Structures are given as C-alpha cells and as structure tokens.
Amino acid sequence: MKNLSWRLIAVLVVIIMAAVYILPTATMYIKGTSEPEIWPHKKINLGLDLQGGMHLVLEVQTEKAVENAMSLKISDIRQALRKHTMKNRGVTLVPQSTKLHVKLLSADDLPAFRGIIADDFQDLAVSDTSESGSLTLVTLSMKADEAERVRKFAADQALETIRNRIDEFGVSEPDIRKQGDDRILIQLPGVTDTKAAKDLIGKTAILEFRLVDEDGDVQTALASHAPAGSELLNLVHKDPVSGVESSTPMLIKKRVLLTGDSLTDARILFDNMTNEPYVSIEFDRKGARIFGKITGANVNRRLAIVLDDTVYSAPVIRDRIAGGRAQITGGFTMEEARVLSIALRAGALPAPVKILEERTVGPTLGADSIRKGIWSMLIGGLAVIVFMVVYYKGSGLIADVALILNVLLIAAGLAAFQATLTLPGIAGIILTIGMAVDANVLIFERIREELNLGQSPMAAVEAGFDKATLTILDANVTTLIAAMVLFQFGSGPVKGFAVTLGIGILSSLFTALVVSRLLFDSILQKANVKTLSI
Amino acid sequence: MQFIKETNINFTGVKKIAFCLSLTLIAVSIISLFIHKGPRYGVDFSGGSAVQVKFTDAVDIASVKKGLKPAGLEGASVQRFGSDSDHEFQIRTKQAFMADSSFAPKVKQALGESTGVEVKDLSLDMVGPQVSKDLRQKALLAMFYALLFIIIYISGRFELKWGLSGALAAILGGAVYGVTQLQSIAFVSSGMPFLIVLALVISIIFCWYLELKYAMGAIIALVHDITITVGIFSLLDVEFTLPIVAALLTIIGYSLNDTIIVFDRIRENGKKYTKKPLDFIINRSVNETLSRTILTSLTTLVVVVALYVLGGGVIHDFAFAMIIGVVTGTYSSIYVASPILLAWKTDEN
C-alpha cells in the first residue's frame, strides 16, 4: 500500500487555500457589493471588456504648449539682440496669447531685426510692427506649420505620459486613445478611487528649481507689482495633524535653473523624525552636475522647489549638494506622495490638460455578449463533463473532479495575484481547460494500453501514470515557457493571456498528476477491485 | 467505450499529398493577405470613429445593436455610458465617416427605429487605436522570443542539443534585438511584421542546416496553423480585433501541445524499436496517440463551438478563430510536424 497521507494533506491544503481566495469574490457576487468584505480582501479583477469602469475625456491645452515654446525663445532673442548690439526695451510674452512683443529703441534697426529673425529664428515670423512714441513695437508669432507641429507633439507626448502614469498606478489594461486633435480618451477598468486617478492624470507635474528673490519686498510686490525678473507664487504648507492648508506669498525669480526633465527617479520615503512621507528625487548625471553647480554658487540662499507654479518648499542651501538628490516635503498624505512620485517618474505633461467628461461605462464587449459567452461556456463545459463520463465511465468522473478543481485553482490564482481578467485571459483559460482534459486523456489512454497488455488494474494505473507523466511535463513545460516569455516581453492583452495561461498550466499539472492519482489510488486501495472502470 | 482501437493508418505514406494540401492552403492565405494588404484591422488596431448616442428613454443594448446594420455600422462595438438612467451608449467603428454629412441623420433614424425610442443627442468623433503601433511591435517581439525559447527546449529535450540550439537562439534573438534598437535610434519604426517573418524564415533555415529536426517540425507546424487561420480571416474578410489576437495566441499554445505529445511518443518508440526504419516509428507513434489527439480536439471543440453558436458579436469571431485553429492544429500535428522528421532521412539515401 502506498502512503497516501502526505498527498491527501497537500491536496486538502491547496483546496482550502483556493476556497479562501475565492470566497471574497463569491460573496461579492451573491450580495451585490462592490468591495470584498471577507479576508483576504482580494477579488478577481475584471477588465474593461468584461466589466467596464471609469471613462474620462481630457483636453490637452495645446495652445499653452505653443505659448510655452514661445516663452522659451525670449532669452534666446535677448541674447541675439545683445550680440548684434541692438538696443531694445524688453522682449515679453503678450499676456493670454502666443505672441511676443519686442520693443526696439530705433526704427532704423527694424530691417536688421527682421534679418536676425529670418536667419536665427526660422520658426518665427514678424506679424506686425507699429510705432509708439520713440519705440518701435514688433510682434512675433510662430509660423503656422511650426505651431501645428508643436500642438501635435504636445498631444502625442501627453498621451504617452498619461499612459506611463496609468501603468505605474497599477490599473491593468486600460483603454487609452487619442480622440480628435487634442483630446485623450481614457477608460480604466473597475476604478473606484476616482479622485486619485484624476489627480494622477490631470497633474501637469512641471517641476522647477528656482531661487527665492530675497532682495525684493513681498509687501511691495503684493501692493503693486513684482520686481523685474521675479514673480509672486504661493508657498503651500499643510499641517499634517489637522490637515489645514496655509498659503504664504513668496517672491520667486523667474529664471528656471533646473527642471524635472533631468529626473531619473522619484520615490516615497519617510522622515525619520516625524514619520511623514516625502518624495525623494534623483537627477541624472547632467542634472546632478547642474544641481551641484547651482547649490555651490548659492550657499546660504534659499532654493524654491516649484511644482505646477506652487512652491512646495524653499530650504536654505547650506552646502554644495553633489550627490544629485533632493527631497520634496509638504505634509503629504501617503496617497498624495504616491501620486506625485508617479507623476514625476512618468514625466511632465507638455501642456496642461482639462477633464472635459467623466462617466462610468459598461463593458466594451457589451453586457449581453458577456452573458451569452458565460452561458455558452457553461454549456460547453457541461458537454465535456458528460462526454468524459460516457467515454471513460468512472475514470471520467475522476477527470471531471480534476477539471472542476482546476478551474477553481485558476480563479483563486487570479484573485491571489490580483490579475485582471479580460477576454484574452479567458482564451487562456479555455486553452488550459483543453490541456487539463488532455493530460487526463493521456493518462487514461496509457492505462488502457496497459490493461490491454494484461496488467492488473493497480499495475496498469501505476504504469499509466509513470509513462504519461513525462509526456505531460514536456507538453506543459513547453507551453509554460511560451507563457513566461509572453508575460515578460508582452504588454496589455498579451500579458493578460500569459497570466491566465501560466496559472492554468500549473494548476492543471497539479490536478492531473496529484489529484487524479490520489483519487485512483484511494479507489483501488479500498475496493480491491478486479476490474477498472475505464 | 472506445472510438478508436489499434489503428494502423499509413500517415507518412500520404505525406506528399498532405504537404501539397498544406502548401496550397498557405499559398492561398499569403496571396489573399497580399491582395488585401494584410488582415482587415478592427477599430482596436487602426482607430476609427466613435458615435456617442443618447436616448430619451430606457433602451436595452441588444436593440441598439440591431440598429447597427441599417445605420451602416455593422460590426461596431456598443458600450453603455454613464448610469442606467442616462440612456447613453458609445458605438465604435473603424470607418472614417466624418466627411459624410448625411451620416448622422441616418444613424439617428436607424437607431430610433430599432429601439423604438427617440434619439435625443448624437455626436461623432475620431478615435485613435487602443493597440498602438508600439504595443503591436512588443507583441510580435514577445511571440518571437517565446519561439526561440521553445526551440531551445525542444531541441534539448528531444535531441539533446541544448548548446547548439541555445547558441542559435542567442544569435537570432540578439540580431533581432539589435535591429530593433537600431530602428528605434534611427526613428524608423516600420516593417516590424516583415522583420519577424524574415527572422522566422531564417530560424527555419538554420534549424534545417543544424539538423534540429524536432524544433523545425514544431515551428513549421506553428507557422502553418497561424498563416492558415489569418489567411481564412482575410479570405472571408472577417474583421481582425483584439480578441482574435488572443485566439491566435491560444492556437499557438494548443498546436504546440499537440505536437509535443506526438514527438514524445516518437522518442519513446525510437528507443523501443531500434531496428525499425524511422517512417515506421513515426507511423506507429501517430497511430498510438491518435485517440488522444482526437479526444482532446473534440473536447476543446465542444466548448469552442458552444461559444461560436451561442456567443454574440466579438465572442462569435473569437470562437470562429479558435475553431479554425483547433482543426488546423490537429491536422498539422499529424501530417506536418512528424513527417518533417523524414526530410533528412531522404537525404541520407
């Protein structure tokens, strides 16, 4: 008699674990609740095509991108004017537009100025000139095709950045598309934390390091206007205990010394003293060098960390900082710090986005298609079960038990790993069921061959399993290799398919080689049968 | 109960006929794909248009779908929007109808008639593809790398040529990786499908020269199955959608499983009948595994046919691809993968 104890215990443990992981989902379905109430609080996530979720339509403010591009040219134009010793009284961005104003002191310089623009700024055009007293006012604008290119790039870049952020956020298989010229359509399956999702998606996350203007007077700036080269921004601080947010006006120099483009990483860490979360950022090599130079040249001055035109902190520079690291503190909650670190890692949006529409949506496959699909799969599965009993009699029952347990294990695996189930994933399950049946068929056919050779039932079962095991392992390992590689290199639907396939193969190996064997041995051991029902 | 007992069918004897049939099917598939310039991509791959439609009263999604055909939106997907009380749906189709000003009234009328409820509001817009070009390239690369690992495993297990196949896979994988990196540097992002096909052909040629028989048999069977399935889709002009990619992945796994089991029996019989010629061993092995092969196909087909008959819309097409794949996969395991092992035997004579 073979010792069945260890295998029986192993099987029971696996079954209990599977039941534990499936229970939350089953309870949700029965009660109709939206969150798992029972430990371990993990449910089977459904993808967009099966469940639906949150739908957003964003508008990328591409005009803002053109405006930003024009702003970047101001200092270049000033340098060009200086190089040509052309006297002027400032190059400024016309408020609420994408045009620049250049004030020349002499009308005689106008032809030469046009030459400079034509030679060195080929994407700009002089769109207007006018006299104002002794000044000549020249209006510059971006050429039409160049502006169009900037707008398109902004929309495409925004799409890619948002895609990266959502990947980091942990939502599986979102539907992200461009819609029209400047809109982005986003659907997130089953998202319940809509505020965090919207914060993540909508945050521009433009990070800038700028010096505090400690020479200017804040009160004067508040009363009239900020000194040249500076602007008023708010230093925002939140009391971590009460959550009250305070806002202090602060004069910040306009010149941007370093931006988030130089970041290589941003992650959440905790302050040793207060245990508050903050975001630790790390620069690339070039950024680290620039940061070292900035801090070295401005010891004992205050450096403001500005995010989306809000000052988060403005620490005094004590020493030159050579390591290429910095911290953003601000009384964050854990979720706020997480959203911020993801946004910084994924990069800034090239232009602000506005949420035009927010809805909940049904499944893309259509609810009726899903019901039909489930119904037809149940019918098909039932047909397979009946067929196995008819064809293999008692052994067919054993195969059916193994098959049902297999499906149970797959469901538990999906819940445990928090994988997202979509139609490609269901395809993986169907394939797995086919292969699970195949494993049992292999074993049964082998047993039949041994019986035909005159073996006793016990010996036939023994030999059948022994010979079939190697074949089953070869077949399944090959497919498992495919699943692992698809998981590693694929993304989106291919990954979802690989997950269910991988889980399914492992569970089918277990049910075929361990569970079926256990059932056979139990029956043969008890009944001491002379014939095998197969 | 036993369907098949002690068969003795001469599979290798008809291998020339089987080869001709397979080559014909593959040729037809390739010609069709060439004429149609690839499969007819659905909205998931090529992008298209989105229709947002709002009704004045409650309607069920099935009646909205009934109105798709008269509206000229046949095959489009329908998705409920907002809560049930919003009575709103989004219809996505790959057609670009923005230029047609008569389209909106037509859709309005068709949907109004099919649902019996008046259309309150309707808007049209273009949408980009869900599966970006980058994602498609990743998927193709993932499948190719999976194939390389399979070559290593099969050659190692069945011919004990781990080192040789490992080196081959490393070279091919490195070459493909290098080319893709060069492409991304040069911002040339076209021709990925061509690159993968070329890499596949090179893989098969190398397997031939290095006499990696089993790996070559398995790969050719896989390529055979996928090409025919995609070709039939092209011939029938069925839309190629994301779920069908899942079906193709399933077919790959299924065909591979089938082939491995026959190969395993060949290896076992090779040790058992050391004096017999290879074609005898192959015939014997295919016959011995025939009952299992047919049974497995049958059980899988039962589920898939149920999906085909009872499932709706997208699931219907998905199941159709699966049916073609299961049938083709079963056929190729018997008539394609194993007889290829005889290719070198002929050379020896």
Side-chain angles (χ1 to χ4, degrees):
Chain A
M1 291 301 183
K2 277 208 164 183
N3 186 5
L4 305 179
S5 303
W6 75 267
R7 281 189 290 156
L8 180 60
I9 292 172
V11 171
L12 289 179
V13 166
V14 169
I15 293 175
I16 291 170
M17 283 178 60
V20 163
Y21 275 107
I22 289 172
L23 209 51
T25 305
T27 306
M28 272 178 58
Y29 187 75
I30 294 170
K31 292 187 177 179
T33 58
S34 61
E35 281 299 321
E37 296 173 352
I38 300 178
W39 182 86
H41 301 289
K42 289 185 175 181
K43 66 184 196 303
I44 298 176
N45 295 316
L46 298 181
L48 264 175
D49 51 356
L50 302 180
Q51 176 191 220
M54 176 191 187
H55 166 91
L56 295 170
V57 178
L58 309 176
E59 182 182 52
V60 184
Q61 322 238 258
T62 51
E63 281 305 301
K64 193 75 177 176
V66 178
E67 187 180 319
N68 290 341
M70 294 297 277
S71 289
L72 293 177
K73 296 195 183 292
I74 291 178
S75 60
D76 292 341
I77 295 175
R78 282 176 181 156
Q79 287 180 32
L81 293 179
R82 254 197 309 277
K83 189 172 75 172
H84 290 83
T85 64
M86 197 170 294
K87 294 181 179 175
N88 68 90
R89 190 159 294 174
V91 183
T92 57
L93 181 75
V94 181
Q96 304 303 317
S97 81
T98 60
K99 298 178 190 292
L100 299 180
H101 273 168
V102 182
K103 297 173 181 174
L104 301 177
L105 285 182
S106 171
D108 296 335
D109 288 330
L110 187 54
F113 180 74
R114 288 183 183 270
I116 293 172
I117 298 299
D119 291 342
D120 298 334
F121 300 90
Q122 293 172 10
D123 49 355
L124 301 183
V126 176
S127 58
D128 188 33
T129 62
S130 63
E131 301 290 332
S132 173
S134 63
L135 295 176
T136 301
L137 189 69
V138 185
T139 305
L140 296 174
S141 62
M142 192 176 284
K143 287 178 178 175
D145 56 334
E146 180 65 17
E148 186 57 36
R149 193 192 65 79
V150 169
R151 285 192 201 96
K152 184 180 186 309
F153 177 82
D156 291 345
Q157 184 65 35
L159 177 67
E160 205 54 39
T161 300
I162 286 173
R163 196 189 296 274
N164 289 335
R165 291 180 180 182
I166 291 174
D167 275 352
E168 288 267 359
F169 193 59
V171 176
S172 286
E173 306 199 27
D175 187 339
I176 306 171
R177 306 170 185 233
K178 202 176 173 190
Q179 182 171 342
D181 286 334
D182 59 359
R183 271 177 282 167
I184 297 172
L185 188 155
I186 299 172
Q187 294 191 349
L188 304 175
V191 164
T192 53
D193 191 357
T194 58
K195 181 183 184 303
K198 284 194 296 183
D199 282 351
L200 179 67
I201 291 165
K203 190 187 289 293
T204 313
I206 294 182
L207 181 69
E208 297 170 336
F209 288 81
R210 297 154 67 175
L211 288 173
V212 175
D213 182 356
E214 296 174 85
D215 301 327
D217 183 50
V218 175
Q219 297 307 318
T220 305
L222 283 169
S224 56
H225 62 273
S230 298
E231 63 178 341
L232 274 172
L233 297 176
N234 286 321
L235 171 67
V236 174
H237 178 73
K238 187 189 298 183
D239 190 301
V241 177
S242 62
V244 173
E245 194 171 282
S246 62
S247 177
T248 307
M250 187 173 257
L251 266 180
I252 307 293
K253 297 202 172 196
K254 284 186 177 177
R255 186 174 172 211
V256 177
L257 304 176
L258 192 58
T259 68
D261 289 347
S262 300
L263 288 184
T264 57
D265 199 8
R267 57 187 59 258
I268 306 171
L269 293 176
F270 293 89
D271 189 284
N272 289 331
M273 308 293 287
T274 64
N275 214 33
E276 289 173 26
Y278 66 91
V279 177
S280 170
I281 54 180
E282 184 172 352
F283 294 106
D284 58 21
R285 185 178 305 183
K286 178 185 171 188
R289 195 176 342 111
I290 295 175
F291 195 59
K293 196 191 309 181
I294 291 168
T295 51
N298 293 287
V299 173
N300 288 328
R301 302 197 58 173
R302 299 177 69 188
L303 183 69
I305 302 178
V306 183
L307 185 69
D308 293 339
D309 288 338
T310 298
V311 182
Y312 274 71
S313 59
V316 177
I317 302 172
R318 297 301 179 193
D319 268 304
R320 177 174 179 272
I321 302 176
R325 292 172 189 269
Q327 299 169 4
I328 303 176
T329 58
F332 297 122
T333 64
M334 187 64 191
E335 189 60 29
E336 284 166 351
R338 186 167 97 92
V339 165
L340 178 57
S341 65
I342 292 174
L344 290 174
R345 271 205 301 276
L349 290 173
V353 298
K354 183 178 17 169
I355 297 182
L356 296 181
E357 188 179 357
E358 179 198 348
R359 315 285 292 278
T360 59
V361 291
T364 52
L365 283 180
D368 62 329
S369 284
I370 294 167
R371 279 193 300 270
K372 284 181 183 176
I374 293 174
W375 185 241
S376 55
M377 279 183 69
L378 286 178
I379 291 176
L382 191 64
V384 169
I385 288 174
V386 170
F387 172 79
M388 289 297 281
V389 172
V390 169
Y391 197 77
Y392 285 115
K393 305 191 198 59
S395 302
L397 273 179
I398 293 178
D400 290 340
V401 169
L403 184 60
I404 292 169
L405 181 57
N406 193 21
V407 174
L408 190 80
L409 289 180
I410 293 174
L414 287 175
F417 292 121
Q418 291 283 265
T420 298
L421 184 63
T422 59
L423 186 57
I426 290 181
I429 294 176
I430 292 175
L431 173 57
T432 301
I433 291 174
M435 288 177 66
V437 171
D438 184 48
N440 282 285
V441 168
L442 273 172
I443 296 168
F444 294 172
E445 290 298 315
R446 285 289 190 168
I447 293 174
R448 276 186 174 177
E449 288 176 13
E450 298 299 320
L451 288 175
N452 290 340
L453 292 178
Q455 295 263 32
S456 69
M458 187 161 300
V461 168
E462 183 86 23
F465 270 94
D466 284 352
K467 291 186 176 180
T469 297
L470 195 60
T471 308
I472 293 170
L473 283 174
D474 270 333
N476 283 269
V477 167
T478 313
T479 311
L480 193 59
I481 289 172
M484 287 168 64
V485 177
L486 289 178
F487 179 83
Q488 184 61 40
F489 293 101
S491 59
V494 172
K495 203 163 196 164
F497 173 84
V499 168
T500 52
L501 183 61
I503 294 174
I505 289 170
L506 293 176
S507 71
S508 78
L509 281 174
F510 175 76
T511 54
L513 297 178
V514 179
V515 176
S516 289
R517 183 65 182 272
L518 181 68
L519 292 173
F520 266 110
D521 288 348
S522 300
I523 291 171
L524 292 176
Q525 198 175 91
K526 288 175 182 174
N528 193 27
V529 295
K530 295 294 194 297
T531 58
L532 188 60
S533 176
I534 190 167
Chain B
M1 181 181 186
Q2 200 164 355
F3 290 156
I4 300 154
K5 296 189 178 187
E6 296 295 335
T7 57
N8 192 24
I9 303 169
N10 185 18
F11 291 105
T12 57
V14 296
K15 69 177 190 293
K16 285 191 169 63
I17 298 176
F19 281 172
C20 288
L21 177 61
S22 294
L23 285 177
T24 302
L25 288 173
I26 291 176
V28 170
S29 298
I30 292 175
I31 290 171
S32 176
L33 285 166
F34 189 73
I35 291 174
H36 289 95
K37 295 184 177 31
R40 183 158 74 89
Y41 287 115
V43 66
D44 289 331
F45 290 101
S46 65
S49 310
V51 185
Q52 200 81 14
V53 58
K54 194 181 179 79
F55 294 91
T56 56
D57 202 353
V59 299
D60 63 287
I61 198 167
S63 58
V64 174
K65 288 186 175 181
K66 278 197 205 113
L68 293 182
K69 186 169 183 176
L73 291 165
E74 191 170 12
S77 69
V78 182
Q79 184 181 25
R80 178 181 291 280
F81 255 55
S83 59
D84 286 348
S85 58
D86 288 335
H87 316 314
E88 195 166 345
F89 299 87
Q90 187 187 74
I91 302 166
R92 286 188 205 163
T93 176
K94 67 170 295 184
Q95 303 174 52
F97 49 63
M98 301 299 287
D100 194 347
S101 58
S102 66
F103 182 78
K106 182 182 173 188
V107 172
K108 211 164 187 175
Q109 181 184 345
L111 292 184
E113 285 172 358
S114 72
T115 58
V117 178
E118 185 187 351
V119 173
K120 184 163 118 185
D121 195 12
L122 186 141
S123 65
L124 317 173
D125 211 337
M126 299 174 338
V127 289
Q130 176 185 4
V131 182
S132 62
K133 181 176 279 188
D134 185 55
L135 204 61
R136 293 202 314 258
Q137 290 173 11
K138 279 183 180 177
L140 283 173
L141 277 178
M143 282 183 257
F144 180 70
Y145 290 144
L147 208 59
L148 292 181
F149 279 98
I150 288 164
I151 289 175
I152 298 174
Y153 186 80
I154 293 178
S155 297
R157 287 289 291 147
F158 292 99
E159 298 181 277
L160 302 178
K161 297 180 177 177
W162 294 99
L164 188 60
S165 56
L168 170 64
I171 291 170
L172 288 173
V176 170
Y177 180 78
V179 171
T180 53
Q181 292 304 303
L182 284 177
Q183 280 187 343
S184 63
I185 290 172
F187 293 107
V188 179
S189 60
S190 61
M192 176 62 73
F194 175 78
L195 172 65
I196 296 298
V197 170
L198 183 64
L200 275 176
V201 171
I202 293 175
S203 303
I204 294 174
I205 292 173
F206 266 105
C207 287
W208 170 270
Y209 276 112
L210 300 175
E211 290 200 15
L212 301 175
K213 306 170 188 172
Y214 289 84
M216 180 167 160
I219 295 174
I220 288 182
L222 280 179
V223 172
H224 168 277
D225 298 342
I226 295 299
T227 304
I228 290 175
T229 305
V230 175
I232 288 176
F233 263 73
S234 178
L235 272 174
L236 301 181
D237 205 28
V238 179
E239 195 166 89
F240 207 82
T241 59
L242 204 55
I244 289 171
V245 172
L248 292 182
L249 290 168
T250 307
I251 289 164
I252 290 173
Y254 184 83
S255 175
L256 199 57
N257 185 60
D258 245 10
T259 301
I260 293 292
I261 284 164
V262 177
F263 280 179
D264 189 79
R265 186 62 72 111
I266 290 173
R267 174 181 59 181
E268 184 177 319
N269 282 335
K271 295 173 185 173
K272 192 173 170 185
Y273 304 105
T274 52
K275 302 267 193 285
K276 295 288 188 177
L278 184 58
D279 60 338
F280 171 86
I281 294 175
I282 292 176
N283 254 333
R284 177 80 181 186
S285 303
V286 174
N287 275 281
E288 285 177 359
T289 56
L290 193 62
S291 62
R292 170 243 151 242
T293 299
I294 292 180
L295 275 178
T296 299
S297 305
L298 220 58
T299 53
T300 308
L301 271 177
V302 166
V303 180
V304 173
V305 169
L307 272 175
Y308 180 76
V309 172
L310 300 173
V314 177
I315 293 177
H316 183 89
D317 287 344
F318 166 81
F320 178 64
M322 292 280 287
I323 290 172
I324 299 171
V326 168
V327 172
T328 310
T330 306
Y331 164 85
S332 73
S333 299
I334 297 173
Y335 287 103
V336 174
S338 301
I340 280 176
L341 303 180
L342 291 172
W344 288 266
K345 180 80 173 181
T346 307
D347 285 8
E348 290 168 20
N349 295 340

